[in-house]
Amino acid sequence: MLPGPTRTDMLMVDPGLIAAQTPLGRVGEPEDIAEVVGFLVSPAGAWVTGQTLGAAGGLF
């Protein structure tokens, strides 16, 4: 998985600058990444293999 900028203590850039560049207009939250991980480890994601899944709100 390729998570995008996420609001954590490690985010070194002004979240407003990032939000202005994303199609969704906001910075990712840890819960956004957790939802993607939850899908991948659930039975619903069992058929997904060998992929790099971007979870960046459309930024990348």
Side-chain angles (χ1 to χ4, degrees):
M1 186 173 74
L2 178 63
T6 306
R7 189 182 315 272
T8 67
D9 292 339
M10 294 179 62
L11 186 63
M12 301 283 197
V13 180
D14 177 11
L17 294 174
I18 296 169
Q21 298 176 21
T22 64
L24 296 179
R26 65 182 183 84
V27 174
E29 299 292 337
E31 294 81 11
D32 296 319
I33 304 306
E35 290 286 333
V36 177
V37 171
F39 165 74
L40 290 172
V41 301
S42 76
W47 205 243
V48 179
T49 61
Q51 300 298 310
T52 301
L53 184 63
L59 185 60
F60 301 116

